[in-house]
Amino acid sequence: MGKMTEKVVKRIEVLIDLLGYGIVQLPVAYSLSFTDLPPRAYSVECYIDQSDSALHSWLYSSDFRLVVSEIEDGVGHVVCFNVEGQSRNIYYQTMLNVVSDYIFLKEKFFL
C-alpha cells in the first residue's frame, strides 16, 4: 500500500495504552472511499507515519485497510479489517481496534 498520494489524505494522532509499552502515540494517515450501493460502506486505507520498528517492535505492518459497512436499515455498523499475512499479535489487534474507533468517531460515518 505505501504512503497515499492520490486521494485526499487525512491525519490523526492515536493514543493506545499497551501493556508493557505504556501509552503509545501513533500518527496515522488515512483516506476514504465510499460506495452507496447496498450495503453502504466506507473503505479506509491507513498508513502509520514515522513508525520506528525498533520502538514499535509489536507493529506487524504500518499499512492496513478497514471497511465500515452499515447494517440494513441503519440498525448498526460492521468493521472488517484487511491485513496481509497471518502473523499478528495482541498489540497489533489492539492498535487496529483503537485506530478504527478514532476514525469512526471523527468521520461520523452514515450520518
Side-chain angles (χ1 to χ4, degrees), residues 27-63:
V28 178
Y30 67 97
S31 64
L32 302 172
S33 301
F34 178 74
T35 176
D36 202 22
L37 300 173
R40 296 188 323 161
Y42 280 93
S43 175
V44 185
E45 294 180 31
C46 302
Y47 177 78
I48 298 174
D49 282 338
Q50 307 165 356
S51 61
D52 181 352
S53 60
L55 181 63
H56 302 303
S57 59
W58 54 269
L59 187 59
Y60 172 71
S61 173
S62 59
D63 295 322

Side-chain angles (χ1 to χ4, degrees), residues 77-103:
H77 303 94
V78 176
V79 178
C80 300
F81 299 99
N82 182 5
V83 181
E84 295 180 14
Q86 296 179 3
S87 177
R88 297 181 202 107
N89 57 55
I90 190 71
Y91 302 110
Y92 191 76
Q93 293 298 323
T94 300
M95 181 273 301
L96 291 176
N97 291 333
V98 172
V99 168
S100 67
D101 287 347
Y102 268 69
I103 293 172

Side-chain angles (χ1 to χ4, degrees), residues 1-2 7 9 14-15 20 24 26 29 36 39 47 50 57 60 66-67 69 73 95 101 104 111:
M1 205 179 301
K7 298 179 182 177
V9 176
V14 177
L15 299 175
V24 176
L26 293 176
D36 202 22
Y47 177 78
Q50 307 165 356
S57 59
Y60 172 71
L66 58 106
V67 175
S69 302
D73 297 327
M95 181 273 301
D101 287 347
F104 189 83
L111 291 180

